[in-house]
Amino acid sequence: MPAHALSEDLKSLIDKLIQLKQVPPTEPIVQLSLTTVSIPLISWLASQHQYPRIYWHGRDKVEEVAAIGACKDFKFETGVDDKTLANVYEQQRTLSSNPEIRYYGGVAFDRSIESWPEFGNSRFVLPRIEFRRSDNQFSLRVNLNFADSTPEEEINRAIAAIEAVMPARPLAPPNKLTLLSRNDTPDFPRWKTLVEQVVEPKFNQDTPKVVLSRHTELEVNAQVDPWMVLACWQGRNPNSFQFGFQFSPDRTYISCSPERLFRRRQQELFTEALAGTTVRGLNQEEDTALANALLEDNKNSVENQLVRRHIVSMLSPLSQHVGAEETATIFKLNHIQHLHRAIRAELKQGVNDFQLLQALHPTPAVGGLPRQSAMNFIREREGYMRGWYAGACGYFNKYESEFSVAIRSALIEPGKINLFAGAGIIAGSDPEAEWQELENKLATIMSILIEL
């Protein structure tokens, strides 16, 4: 690890900041950047003492970000609508012409109810310090917010943040924890009742799909390093998004999610229908047979088609053109495989990211159809608060943005690990089979955490 080279780059950034004191700010939000050495970003992030700590790794593996601190932090609680969020963001965008400025954060699954402490119903951060990797190129960045303080105060804060950066230490080796207790909400009898309510013909006629989920609370015998867990998870499922948000030492939300909500590059939008699940085989022959059975399975095919049609219908008013794959393909993860259809749209001029969030989130893959009816059922009967689980996490900037659907995730608290998994319930769903699907979806993270 080239610690000396990194230390020199940090000093260079401080020199740039000192020079900036002599020049009036050109814009309210300014970013300074320089090319830097290759470092292990999760290890570096885990070594820092400044909060928030944010990690983002794209599913295409090209991009990776580790960020600390905040020079602007937007946190919204219950009752803030998308129009308000869009107005705040549009105002913020006018403060800089730099297309590299990014706001990282997320929105909860259901913003009409309370969310987790510290996370809010939505929260976005312009970090103080960022490391970004694009392919094999690393850059070091510092962000300055002159809109809310004097230039000298803001520059001094940035210098202090850089001086407080710690060298990267190796992550602690993985260690299996002893499980002291496990509590599932809903438990299986309640789950069975809920599935039966959804598949009941009169209800199902009006609400053909509800995605029911389960909160699994694990009490463990030791502190958990969330960044070590995320690094292990990343190794098991490299073709997923990997991200983490830690706003204080007490709570960290990490995810290794296969699902993209959307990726926008100016007016071009990419999204997908990811719904329908089976397990992986023990060998190539069995794996292929299971994949073919999933492709031919009517229940899973119907579920995926429902999601595809919904996404296309929601994007159509915002787009000049929307195209979706007619035939599903298989998307493989470590323990499970999904049905997948790619969707591409050419957006109309003036469509903003919050309109896209409003149209696409929550998707039928985590909520159901029709959206409002399914959300009401979940809100009233599921029995726990999802928070950012099944929410949307990612980043905005002027010309591009990317969000993942926050599934396959964990909220780590002192002595406690909260895991989440869901299953799409449609006509013909079997409670026991769907419960087993939840177990399959937790298999990877459980194998990392617990001595089974």
Side-chain angles (χ1 to χ4, degrees):
M1 162 59 199
H4 176 71
L6 176 58
S7 176
E8 289 302 310
D9 287 342
L10 290 167
K11 285 177 185 171
S12 295
L13 214 47
I14 290 174
D15 289 341
K16 282 190 173 193
L17 287 164
I18 291 169
Q19 290 166 20
L20 198 62
K21 286 186 176 183
Q22 314 306 318
V23 184
T26 53
E27 292 186 311
I29 300 289
V30 171
Q31 182 180 90
L32 304 180
S33 68
L34 50 82
T35 301
T36 191
V37 293
S38 165
I39 65 166
L41 292 188
I42 289 189
S43 297
W44 178 83
L45 190 64
S47 305
Q48 305 311 309
H49 303 311
Q50 301 179 61
Y51 295 89
R53 299 197 282 189
I54 296 168
Y55 180 77
W56 173 262
H57 189 287
R59 193 174 69 182
D60 57 12
K61 308 184 185 83
V62 170
E63 183 173 72
E64 186 181 14
V65 177
I68 56 171
C71 68
K72 189 69 179 181
D73 189 344
F74 300 96
K75 179 168 176 265
F76 300 97
E77 301 294 353
T78 312
V80 177
D81 62 19
D82 287 309
K83 191 171 181 184
T84 304
L85 289 174
N87 288 340
V88 170
Y89 178 62
E90 289 302 319
Q91 288 165 13
Q92 194 66 21
R93 278 179 60 169
T94 65
L95 301 181
S96 175
S97 59
N98 184 346
E100 294 295 311
I101 298 288
R102 284 189 187 175
Y103 298 81
Y104 299 90
V107 298
F109 168 72
D110 184 350
R111 280 164 293 144
S112 71
I113 61 173
E114 191 182 354
S115 186
W116 299 332
E118 301 166 21
F119 288 79
N121 284 75
S122 57
R123 187 167 182 178
F124 288 90
V125 170
L126 176 61
R128 175 63 75 195
I129 298 168
E130 287 181 69
F131 271 103
R132 288 192 206 166
R133 175 182 66 80
S134 181
D135 285 324
N136 297 317
Q137 297 296 312
F138 284 74
S139 61
L140 174 61
R141 300 158 190 262
V142 60
N143 295 308
L144 299 143
N145 172 19
F146 296 127
D148 297 334
S149 61
T150 68
E152 181 152 358
E153 287 172 335
E154 182 63 2
I155 290 168
N156 287 340
R157 286 193 200 102
I159 291 171
I162 293 170
E163 289 175 341
V165 167
M166 304 298 291
R169 298 188 308 271
L171 288 166
N175 64 310
K176 301 281 181 119
L177 301 161
T178 300
L179 181 60
L180 302 178
S181 68
R182 170 175 169 165
N183 182 52
D184 291 315
T185 306
D187 59 14
F188 181 72
R190 176 63 178 161
W191 173 265
K192 186 169 183 291
T193 299
L194 292 175
V195 172
E196 288 166 352
Q197 288 173 351
V198 174
V199 301
E200 192 273 320
K202 189 175 178 186
F203 178 86
N204 194 256
Q205 185 176 352
D206 296 325
T207 309
K209 178 179 181 182
V210 176
V211 181
L212 294 176
S213 72
R214 184 186 72 194
H215 169 210
T216 297
E217 182 181 283
L218 308 177
E219 187 187 354
V220 292
N221 67 332
Q223 289 291 96
V224 181
D225 179 352
W227 305 110
M228 178 273 289
V229 174
L230 186 57
C232 291
W233 211 349
Q234 186 178 62
R236 305 279 184 96
N237 277 336
N239 55 338
S240 289
F241 292 95
Q242 296 113 29
F243 50 89
F245 292 88
Q246 186 176 25
F247 296 109
S248 80
D250 289 338
R251 288 181 187 83
T252 310
Y253 184 55
I254 59 172
S255 178
C256 199
S257 172
E259 187 169 355
R260 170 177 283 141
L261 181 64
F262 68 84
R263 178 183 181 185
R264 178 184 62 81
R265 294 294 180 268
Q266 295 193 343
Q267 300 311 114
E268 194 172 27
L269 181 94
F270 301 92
T271 183
E272 62 198 16
L274 192 73
T277 306
T278 191
V279 294
R280 297 295 304 271
L282 296 174
N283 53 51
Q284 184 63 51
E285 186 179 359
E286 186 183 9
D287 200 53
T288 302
L290 285 163
N292 289 336
L294 179 61
L295 287 166
E296 294 165 9
D297 180 77
N298 185 61
K299 182 258 180 190
N300 283 290
S301 180
V302 167
E303 186 182 349
N304 192 274
Q305 284 281 23
L306 284 171
V307 174
R308 181 188 74 88
R309 281 200 294 268
H310 172 82
I311 291 172
V312 169
S313 71
M314 296 303 284
L315 282 177
S316 292
L318 304 175
S319 308
Q320 298 186 52
H321 167 77
V322 184
E325 288 182 331
E326 287 298 324
T327 305
T329 57
I330 295 293
F331 188 92
K332 293 180 184 288
L333 294 166
N334 199 39
H335 282 92
I336 55 179
Q337 40 196 335
H338 295 289
L339 291 180
H340 176 275
R341 279 181 170 88
I343 299 167
R344 180 189 167 277
E346 187 181 334
L347 299 172
K348 293 176 181 175
Q349 287 295 329
V351 171
N352 66 46
D353 290 313
F354 278 95
Q355 286 174 280
L356 298 174
L357 274 177
Q358 193 170 30
L360 295 174
H361 173 66
T363 72
V366 294
L369 285 169
R371 180 191 284 175
Q372 210 49 56
S373 173
M375 292 283 283
N376 288 340
F377 186 93
I378 292 165
R379 193 179 297 128
E380 292 165 9
R381 307 191 195 188
E382 198 168 59
Y384 79 98
M385 178 180 66
R386 289 192 186 186
W388 279 27
Y389 163 65
C393 292
Y395 68 86
F396 297 123
N397 79 1
K398 201 174 271 289
Y399 298 124
E400 62 177 14
S401 54
E402 184 159 36
F403 281 80
S404 172
V405 181
I407 55 175
R408 312 293 191 278
S409 55
L411 177 66
I412 296 175
E413 300 175 289
K416 189 165 67 173
I417 302 163
N418 303 277
L419 303 178
F420 310 92
I425 310 302
I426 63 171
S429 290
D430 173 64
E432 290 190 14
E434 302 296 348
W435 185 264
Q436 185 56 49
E437 183 175 316
L438 304 182
E439 293 299 307
N440 295 340
K441 287 174 175 175
L442 292 187
T444 300
I445 187 64
M446 288 290 281
S447 70
I448 291 168
L449 289 169
I450 303 298
E451 196 71 65
L452 300 173

